[in-house]
C-alpha cells in the first residue's frame, strides 16, 4: 500500500451535505465530531471542500432544488469515494415521504453505499456506518469490491434489534453499485 | 468603484445548513446581501393536511430537529384550543421543563457554532461536550436524545418520576458549574474584537424589520412570549433578559444569560411540580381557527391551525423565528461589513433554515 492509499484509509475526510433534513441528523453528525463521541480517533475530519473529501454524508431527502447541488458535490469528489445516507430521510425520504417537494432518499440522485436508519440515528450508529463505509473504500481502492448478496449495507441501529430487510431501505430501486467507478489504480 | 459578486453557500463550512447569500462587495466591504432560500423546502404544511392530527405531532417535531419541544408545544396547544380542552397542571410543568431543556441545549449548541465561526475550535469542542450532558438528561426523561415526542394532544406522553427530577437537578448543577468554567470567553479580547460592533442592529431597525427573540432582546426590546404565562410560565418568576449592545456581542450576552435563566426556571419547576394526571383525553371535533404562540430558543414561534370538524385539519401555517429574523440580518449585512464577518453576523442571529423553509 502506498502512502496515498494508506492515508486515505487511516484519515478519511468527510463532507456533510444537508439535503432537506430537519437538522436532527446534522447535529448528531456534528456531535460525532466533538469530544464525547470523538470520531477523530479514526482519523476522520469534517471538511467543507468536496475536492478534499473521501466520504459523503447525506442527510435528508432530496428535493427539486438541491438535487443538482448534491450531484455537483458528488461529481467533484475524487474517486474512490463512498456515500452514506444518514437517517430515515436520507435513506428513503422518511417522515417526509408524502411531501410534494421530496423526491425520495439520496439514492435517487447518487449511488449510496451505506444506509444508517434511525430518526435521527444515534451517533454510535453514524460512527458504525462510517467504519463500514471505510471497509468498502478499502475494497474499492484495491479493486476487490463485490456487492454483497444481501443487498446494500445497512447499519443495525439498536442493540439486539433484528436488522430490517435490506431491500426495504433500498427504496425498491436496484441496488446501487459502484463497481463502475474507476479505482485509483485504473485511473 | 467596481462591484463584484460573491456567492456564499449553499454548501459552506461554517453553516451546518444550506442557505445562500449573494453578496455584492466593493473591495472587502459588503454593500448588499441577498438571501436565496429553498434548498431545504419539503412542503410540511401540506403534509399536515394529509396526516392524522395525532401523527402530526411527529411531523411538527421534525420541522426542526434543534427545537422539537417548542414546535410540538405550539402545535398541541393550538389543537387543544380547537378541541376546547386544556392540559392538566402536571403536564404543563413537564412541558415547561422540556422547553427549557431544549433552550439550554440549543443555546449551548449555538455558542459552540459561534466559536467555530470565529475560529475558536477548542471552545466549540468544550461547549458541545457540556451539551451532551443536557442531551443525556433529555434522554433519561423521554427516551430519545433529539426527537423526544413528549407532547401529546391534551398533555404529555410520559410522566417524570421523583428520581428523574432529582437526576435533573444534578444535571442542572453540572451544567451551571461547567458554564462557569467557560464564562471567561465573554471577557476575552479576541472574542470581543470579533463580535463587538459587528452586525449592528439598532432598536429602531429591530422594530422596523420585525426582529424577534434574542436578536430583538439584544437590541433593547423587551419582548419575551413566556411573560404571557402560557403553560407553567405564569407560576414562575423570571424577567426577560434585555441588553442594549445592539451587536453580535449583545446577542451572545443575551443567550449566555438566558442559559442561566433556563437553569433557574427548571429548578423552580422541580420545586413547584404539582401531582396528578398528565393527560386529558378527548374526542371533541376540531372546529374553527386557533392561533398559538410559543417562545422558541430563537424567538416567537407562531402556529395558525384551522379545522373543519372532520378528522383532518384544513390548514396549518407555521411562522418561525428565523423567518422573522432574515430581514434584520440583511440589514446588518448591508451596512458595509467585512466579508470575513459575514459568517459571524449570520450566525449571531442563530439561523435555523430547516424550520424557516419547512
Ligand atoms: S431522519 Fe429524522 S432526524 Fe433525520 S433529518 Fe429525517 S426527520 Fe430529521
Amino acid at each position: 500500500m502506498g502512502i496515498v492509499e494508506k492515508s486515505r484509509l487511516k484519515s478519511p475526510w468527510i463532507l456533510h451535505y444537508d439535503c432537506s433534513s430537519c437538522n436532527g441528523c446534522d447535529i448528531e453528525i456534528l456531535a460525532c465530531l466533538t469530544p464525547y463521541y470523538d470520531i477523530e480517533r479514526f482519523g476522520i475530519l469534517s471538511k467543507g471542500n468536496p475536492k478534499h473529501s473521501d466520504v459523503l454524508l447525506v442527510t435528508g431527502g432530496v428535493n427539486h432544488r438541491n438535487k443538482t447541488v448534491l450531484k455537483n458535490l458528488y461529481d467533484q469528489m475524487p474517486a474512490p469515494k463512498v456515500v452514506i445516507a444518514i437517517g430515515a430521510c436520507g435513506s428513503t425520504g422518511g417522515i417526509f415521504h408524502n411531501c410534494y417537494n421530496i423526491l425520495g432518499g439520496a439514492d435517487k440522485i447518487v449511488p449510496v453505499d451505506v444506509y444508517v436508519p434511525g430518526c435521527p440515528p444515534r451517533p454510535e450508529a453514524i460512527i458504525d456506518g462510517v467504519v463500514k463505509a471505510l471497509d468498502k473504500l478499502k475494497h474499492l481502492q484495491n479493486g476487490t469490491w463485490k456487492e454483497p448478496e444481501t443487498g446494500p449495507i445497512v447499519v443495525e441501529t439498536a442493540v439486539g434489534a433484528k436488522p430490517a430487510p435490506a431491500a426495504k431501505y433500498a427504496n425498491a430501486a436496484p441496488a446501487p453499485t459502484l463497481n463502475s467507478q474507476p479505482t485509483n489504480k485504473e485511473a | 468603484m467596481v462591484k463584484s459578486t460573491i456567492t456564499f453557500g449553499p454548501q459552506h463550512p461554517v453553516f451546518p445548513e444550506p442557505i445562500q447569500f449573494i453578496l455584492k462587495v466593493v473591495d472587502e466591504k459588503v454593500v448588499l446581501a441577498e438571501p436565496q432560500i429553498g434548498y431545504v423546502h419539503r412542503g410540511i404544511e401540506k403534509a399536515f393536511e394529509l396526516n392524522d392530527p395525532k401523527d402530526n405531532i411527529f411531523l411538527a417535531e421534525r420541522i426542526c430537529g434543534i427545537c422539537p419541544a417548542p414546535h410540538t408545544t405550539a402545535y398541541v396547544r393550538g389543537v387543544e384550543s380547537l378541541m376546547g380542552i386544556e392540559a392538566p397542571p402536571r403536564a404543563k410543568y413537564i412541558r415547561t421543563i422540556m422547553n427549557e431543556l431544549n433552550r439550554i441545549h440549543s443555546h449551548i449548541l449555538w455558542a459552540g457554532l459561534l466559536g467555530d465561526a470565529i475560529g475558536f475550535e477548542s471552545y466549540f469542542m468544550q461547549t458541545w461536550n457540556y451539551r451532551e450532558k443536557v442531551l443525556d438528561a433529555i434522554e433519561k426523561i423521554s427516551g430519545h436524545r433529539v426527537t423526544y415526542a413528549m407532547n401529546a394532544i391534551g398533555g404529555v406522553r410520559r410522566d417524570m418520576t421523583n428520581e428523574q427530577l432529582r437526576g435533573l437537578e444534578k444535571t442542572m448543577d453540572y451544567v451551571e458549574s461547567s458554564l462557569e468554567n467557560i464564562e471567561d470567553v465573554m471577557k476575552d479580547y479576541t472574542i470581543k474584537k470579533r463580535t463587538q460592533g459587528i452586525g449592528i442592529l439598532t432598536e429602531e431597525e429591530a422594530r422596523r424589520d420585525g426582529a424577534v427573540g434574542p436578536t430583538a432582546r439584544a437590541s433593547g426590546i423587551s419582548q419575551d412570549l413566556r411573560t404571557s404565562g402560557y403553560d407553567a410560565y405564569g407560576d414562575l418568576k423570571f424577567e426577560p433578559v434585555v441588553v442594549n449592545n445592539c451587536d453580535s456581542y449583545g446577542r451572545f450576552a443575551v443567550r449566555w444569560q438566558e442559559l442561566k435563566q433556563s437553569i433557574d426556571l427548571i429548578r423552580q419547576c422541580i420545586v413547584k411540580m404539582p401531582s396528578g394526571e398528565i393527560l386529558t383525553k378527548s374526542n371533541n371535533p376540531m372546529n374553527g381557527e386557533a392561533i398559538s404562540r410559543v417562545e422558541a430558543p430563537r424567538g416567537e414561534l407562531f402556529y395558525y391551525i384551522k379545522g373543519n370538524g372532520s378528522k383532518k385539519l384544513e390548514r396549518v401555517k407555521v411562522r418561525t423565528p428565523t423567518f422573522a429574523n432574515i430581514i434584520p440580518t440583511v440589514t446588518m449585512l448591508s451596512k458595509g461589513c467585512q466579508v470575513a464577518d459575514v459568517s459571524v453576523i449570520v450566525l449571531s442571529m442563530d439561523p435555523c433554515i430547516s424550520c424557516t423553509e419547512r
Side-chain angles (χ1 to χ4, degrees), chain B residues 71-95:
Chain B
H71 273 280
T72 48
T73 308
Y75 174 74
V76 297
R77 281 176 56 79
V79 175
E80 277 164 14
S81 76
L82 282 186
M83 286 178 154
I85 56 172
E86 207 176 324
R90 190 175 173 88
K92 287 188 172 174
Y93 271 79
I94 296 178
R95 272 184 198 172

Side-chain angles (χ1 to χ4, degrees), chain A residues 15-37 40 47-50 59 61-66 68-69 73 89 95-102 118-124, chain B residues 10-13 16-18 20 36-44 46-47 50-51 55 58-59 61-66 105 109 113 124-126 128-129 131-133 135-136 139 143-147 351-355:
Chain A
L15 173 70
H16 158 221
Y17 184 64
D18 169 349
C19 267
S20 48
S21 95
C22 77
N23 268 347
C25 287
D26 307 272
I27 53 173
E28 291 296 68
I29 291 178
L30 278 183
C32 287
L33 300 168
T34 52
Y36 204 73
Y37 292 101
E40 241 181 276
K47 292 282 156 186
N49 191 336
T59 58
V62 180
N63 72 15
H64 287 286
R65 177 134 197 208
N66 62 30
T68 39
V69 182
L73 288 175
C89 292
I95 192 168
F96 307 123
H97 66 98
N98 59 357
C99 292
Y100 57 78
N101 204 19
I102 291 286
C119 185
R122 295 185 62 89
E124 290 94 335
Chain B
Q11 196 269 335
H12 192 278
E17 294 173 276
Q20 192 176 40
Q36 302 279 318
I37 59 173
Y39 292 97
V40 282
H41 177 62
R42 286 150 282 177
I44 297 184
K46 184 69 189 166
L50 308 174
N51 299 343
D55 298 345
F58 306 110
L59 199 57
E61 187 159 55
R62 282 160 182 81
I63 287 180
C64 175
I66 299 181
H105 107 76
L109 175 149
L113 287 183
F124 165 65
M125 293 289 176
Q126 272 308 327
W128 278 60
N129 199 9
R131 175 178 165 268
E132 287 295 332
K133 280 282 184 291
L135 292 190
D136 282 352
E139 190 179 5
H144 204 292
R145 287 158 52 86
V146 176
T147 43
C352 176
I353 312 302
S354 92
C355 65

Side-chain angles (χ1 to χ4, degrees), chain A residues 24-90:
Chain A
C25 287
D26 307 272
I27 53 173
E28 291 296 68
I29 291 178
L30 278 183
C32 287
L33 300 168
T34 52
Y36 204 73
Y37 292 101
D38 195 16
I39 204 171
E40 241 181 276
R41 66 200 140 118
F42 301 109
I44 298 170
L45 290 179
S46 173
K47 292 282 156 186
N49 191 336
K51 297 194 176 178
H52 293 181
S53 313
D54 311 295
V55 182
L56 174 62
L57 299 183
V58 185
T59 58
V62 180
N63 72 15
H64 287 286
R65 177 134 197 208
N66 62 30
K67 61 183 180 195
T68 39
V69 182
L70 179 62
K71 188 86 180 77
N72 279 347
L73 288 175
Y74 179 78
D75 289 343
Q76 284 179 32
M77 285 168 61
K81 51 194 163 187
V82 280
V83 180
I84 310 179
I86 305 283
C89 292

Side-chain angles (χ1 to χ4, degrees), chain B residues 309-345:
Chain B
S310 72
K311 285 232 164 73
K312 296 198 171 152
L313 294 169
E314 195 177 313
R315 176 87 173 96
V316 177
K317 162 84 191 135
V318 185
R319 189 248 209 187
T320 62
T322 307
F323 183 72
N325 278 339
I326 283 185
I327 304 292
T329 311
V330 172
T331 309
M332 296 177 218
L333 285 177
S334 305
K335 280 186 181 164
C337 68
Q338 300 253 312
V339 177
D341 288 331
V342 171
S343 56
V344 174
I345 294 176

